[in-house]
Amino acid sequence: MIERVKWISSLEKVFPDKEPGLGDGGISPGREAAGQSGAASSFPDVVPCFLEGEVFSLQCAFLAGRNAEGWAEVTLSGAFAEYAAVREVCPVPSRYAGTTWENGEERMYAPGMYPDLLKELRQNRIKLYPGQWQGLWITVKCSGQESGGELPAGIHELELTLTPDQGEPVKGSVKLELLSASLPEQRLIHTEWFHVDCLADYYRVEPWSEAHWEIVERFLMHYGAMGMNMVLVPVFTPPLDTAVGRERTTVQLTEVREEEDGSWSFGFERVERYVELCRKAGIRYLEIAHLFTQWGAKSAPKVMVRRGDVLVRRFGWDTASDSPEYLGFLEQFLKALTEKLTQWGYEGRAFFHLSDEPGGEETLKRYSFLRGKITGWIAPYPLMDAMSDYSFYETGAVDYAVPSMNSLPLFAEKGASPLWTYYCGAHSEGTPNRYMAMPASQVRVLGVLLYVYQVEGFLHWGYNFYNSQYSLEHIDPYAVTDAGGAFPSGDSFLVYPGEGGRPEDSQRMLLMQEAMQDLRALQLLESQWGRDRVMELIRSEAGEELTARRWPRDPGFLLGLREKVNRAVSV
């Protein structure tokens, strides 16, 4: 039998041994978080509302009785039913859950099982676990009659029925309001590094075989649908998270041939096919994989070259980045590639990388030298890299600096433009992030902060990184969620590699989608009110000036702010 059914917002986490919505906002098991009241995580008396074209997420939690056994059928009914989809929220293991800051002190999150994986129901049925709370994640997306849809704007009902194999059906219903305003298109440039080698490795297919292309397409289609509109292009195997002297699986798209006279010829057929898949997925921007190794640009990436009928590794860790031979190769390659990018219509929409997170005086000299060499070869395309050292940026070594959110306030104060940002597992000092152990609001608040700082682009390194740190071994992300104990669980991937070569969402992926929708809603309101008035609203709801490290931890802040924004744009 099923004892209870409870509707809660997306900013709640359902742990098996604790009733959701009682004020923790989804912190880690067995811990209390400072300032984390979370009382508004459960639905308030006011009817939740959302905009046309928005993917609205909510959850239905239920408690199976101690004598429950078997399965239950899940059905949706009501006006919103045909616009809704339901998935099971599944706990996954976290051995290294990460750290948090409370009252100026760094503390560890507890290891354990965390709700994260959103799994499709098989034949609309869910397994019952006796005496445990379980979660169903529901998304609703529809257009009102004003936008050509069939559902009129207004308040409608969504009802969920759980019919166990043994016992009586249990129903729960919620009222939601569809508003007449529509979200504008996303203006933020958003990239999550897309690791095509991890797809080949996990599914055990030959890189760029037809089976691999099919898997890559499915993941790219999901990638674009979830709001990522820039993607990493592996013209060479990206030299990222690779131990010195080691290699990741070769996924080089460019065909390179070394001629007898020392010149080079290039085939871009696979690059073009990849780019066309990106267009199909709605991905507008490209970032070309790094031309030098990570953390200092000391070496060349792995470059596979055909000599006659033999394919050889021509450049790699044993090739110094300032090698005249490699730089001569790059000159010919980059001129040929940029010509193709322009031909394909990507001028103004493609970016190049030198090396990820350069820093330090020695690296600055090397990086500046390399920039001086390649600038003319990639013109008119800009250079972009993650770097958090402002003194490095102010030398003019890079066109687009992408500082960490810890460093974002400094870059904003100094007037860095265009302003981008990123975060990763190294950043836990109160900034937004996506650890599985974090409260859901710490993931979603990103959208509001991107608006506050007027950020133009957001970068993260792990859409689907299924390796251990430095790519020393492949992992099963369903069992190992922390890259082999290297990064807090959730840092290295947003999607799981599901059956049939199809991605499965995480709870964090849907929270990131909500964050980007929050940003778009604020931008829509700005077009009506002006920025100053919108900022006044944000400060009023927050009760203080927001910064990258200081913002209300109570999820009621985000829910209340969106409620007011939605009502204002729909007047």
Side-chain angles (χ1 to χ4, degrees):
M1 61 181 292
I2 295 171
E3 295 184 353
R4 295 185 60 192
V5 172
K6 188 172 187 177
W7 291 95
I8 55 176
S9 81
S10 60
L11 295 183
E12 183 60 67
K13 293 188 178 181
V14 181
F15 291 99
D17 59 346
K18 183 167 51 178
E19 180 177 346
L22 295 183
D24 58 24
I27 61 173
S28 57
R31 300 207 48 241
E32 297 297 331
Q36 191 70 41
S37 69
S41 291
S42 294
F43 280 150
D45 293 335
V46 64
V47 175
C49 61
F50 61 101
L51 304 180
E52 292 189 6
E54 179 174 8
V55 177
F56 181 75
S57 289
L58 69 160
Q59 296 180 87
C60 185
F62 65 93
L63 175 64
R66 294 189 178 277
N67 296 321
E69 58 183 47
W71 297 70
E73 183 179 10
V74 181
T75 55
L76 297 177
S77 57
F80 280 122
E82 65 177 292
Y83 307 100
V86 58
R87 286 173 282 186
E88 180 183 5
V89 182
C90 299
V92 296
S94 170
R95 187 168 182 180
Y96 175 36
T99 60
T100 185
W101 283 75
E102 296 175 10
N103 301 320
E105 181 181 353
E106 188 176 27
R107 299 180 181 179
M108 296 296 295
Y109 284 116
M113 297 292 291
Y114 285 88
D116 189 61
L117 170 64
L118 302 184
K119 202 157 192 65
E120 299 285 347
L121 301 179
R122 294 182 184 273
Q123 299 179 330
N124 297 320
R125 289 165 62 79
I126 185 170
K127 173 69 177 173
L128 300 179
Y129 290 86
Q132 296 187 19
W133 281 95
Q134 296 174 244
L136 292 166
W137 189 283
I138 301 165
T139 51
V140 183
K141 181 180 181 180
C142 53
S143 297
Q145 290 178 334
E146 294 184 10
S147 300
E150 297 181 357
L151 192 67
I155 298 175
H156 305 283
E157 190 172 63
L158 178 66
E159 184 175 76
L160 184 142
T161 302
L162 287 162
T163 306
D165 294 338
Q166 299 179 21
E168 296 298 318
V170 177
K171 295 184 178 183
S173 64
V174 64
K175 293 185 183 298
L176 307 173
E177 184 173 3
L178 173 64
L179 301 175
S180 57
S182 299
L183 278 180
E185 288 188 11
Q186 181 173 309
R187 290 170 13 206
L188 179 84
I189 302 177
H190 180 190
T191 180
E192 305 276 342
W193 283 349
F194 190 91
H195 300 276
V196 295
D197 61 317
C198 291
L199 298 180
D201 295 332
Y202 182 84
Y203 289 106
R204 299 182 181 182
V205 294
E206 186 70 23
W208 306 125
S209 62
E210 285 305 311
H212 188 218
W213 277 111
E214 290 172 4
I215 295 167
V216 168
E217 180 174 0
R218 293 186 194 111
F219 276 74
L220 280 176
M221 294 301 291
H222 173 273
Y223 183 96
M226 297 303 293
M228 281 77 81
N229 54 10
M230 172 188 268
V231 74
L232 190 68
V233 182
V235 289
F236 303 131
T237 302
L240 299 169
D241 286 280
T242 308
V244 175
R246 300 287 293 267
E247 294 185 5
R248 291 177 62 166
T249 299
T250 300
V251 286
Q252 175 178 319
L253 284 169
T254 311
E255 297 283 351
V256 183
R257 178 172 293 276
E258 186 174 11
E259 308 296 348
E260 292 184 2
D261 62 1
S263 63
W264 307 90
S265 60
F266 308 100
F268 293 107
E269 291 78 11
R270 289 195 306 204
V271 180
E272 185 174 15
R273 181 174 176 180
Y274 188 85
V275 168
E276 287 304 313
L277 284 183
C278 295
R279 288 190 205 271
K280 181 179 178 181
I283 301 166
R284 298 193 67 247
Y285 302 92
L286 307 177
E287 52 177 328
I288 306 304
H290 301 68
L291 302 174
F292 303 94
T293 52
Q294 200 167 14
W295 309 304
K298 293 183 179 180
S299 302
K302 175 172 63 172
V303 179
M304 303 301 293
V305 173
R306 194 164 294 281
R307 287 175 168 171
D309 295 329
V310 180
L311 189 65
V312 299
R313 182 183 62 77
R314 188 66 172 78
F315 302 110
W317 285 110
D318 54 351
T319 308
S321 57
D322 60 357
S323 159
E325 187 177 26
Y326 180 60
L327 292 176
F329 164 81
L330 271 188
E331 179 177 8
Q332 293 185 48
F333 169 71
L334 292 174
K335 288 179 178 179
L337 176 60
T338 53
E339 182 180 341
K340 287 292 184 181
L341 291 173
T342 301
Q343 178 183 321
W344 297 333
Y346 278 92
E347 188 167 336
R349 294 192 292 120
F351 301 76
F352 281 79
H353 289 294
L354 279 189
S355 176
D356 188 48
E357 269 295 0
E361 185 174 343
E362 179 183 346
T363 298
L364 174 59
K365 292 179 181 178
R366 184 184 307 112
Y367 192 99
S368 299
F369 169 79
L370 296 173
R371 176 199 165 91
K373 286 290 186 181
I374 75 161
T375 296
W377 304 337
I378 65 173
Y381 297 94
L383 184 63
M384 174 180 78
D385 271 318
M387 62 172 61
S388 300
D389 184 344
Y390 187 79
S391 63
F392 198 121
Y393 167 68
E394 67 182 350
T395 67
V398 65
D399 302 310
Y400 285 64
V402 186
S404 70
M405 291 208 75
N406 290 358
S407 303
L408 176 61
L410 173 62
F411 277 71
E413 178 186 340
K414 295 285 189 179
S417 180
L419 188 61
W420 282 54
T421 194
Y422 83 99
Y423 59 63
C424 69
H427 311 136
S428 61
E429 297 181 29
T431 59
N433 215 306
R434 62 173 62 155
Y435 305 171
M436 291 177 186
M438 283 179 167
S441 60
Q442 197 161 349
V443 183
R444 182 170 167 178
V445 76
L446 175 66
V448 177
L449 292 178
L450 292 177
Y451 178 83
V452 167
Y453 283 97
Q454 297 180 272
V455 171
E456 296 182 34
F458 179 76
L459 178 151
H460 192 276
W461 73 277
Y463 170 76
N464 64 321
F465 183 73
Y466 305 141
N467 288 342
S468 66
Q469 187 179 29
Y470 305 128
S471 298
L472 296 177
E473 59 183 2
H474 308 312
I475 64 169
D476 175 1
Y478 292 93
V480 180
T481 59
D482 56 12
F487 312 120
S489 293
D491 184 39
S492 57
F493 61 87
L494 278 173
V495 296
Y496 295 81
E499 294 179 8
R502 299 181 185 279
E504 290 190 299
D505 279 314
S506 66
Q507 192 168 345
R508 296 164 294 111
M509 180 77 262
L510 272 293
L511 290 167
M512 285 292 290
Q513 183 181 50
E514 289 190 306
M516 299 309 159
Q517 291 178 160
D518 291 344
L519 172 61
R520 292 159 63 190
L522 289 166
Q523 291 170 340
L524 174 60
L525 184 58
E526 180 181 314
S527 70
Q528 300 176 7
W529 279 13
R531 178 171 172 81
D532 289 345
R533 191 176 170 192
V534 176
M535 288 296 295
E536 288 177 9
L537 173 63
I538 294 172
R539 284 191 288 266
S540 174
E541 286 297 301
E544 61 181 338
E545 197 79 25
L546 270 69
T547 72
R549 297 185 185 181
R550 189 176 70 246
W551 41 273
R553 266 42 181 182
D554 189 329
F557 161 64
L558 292 172
L559 298 176
L561 178 61
R562 268 309 300 271
E563 170 76 18
K564 287 184 169 58
V565 170
N566 289 351
R567 298 294 177 189
V569 299
S570 301
V571 172

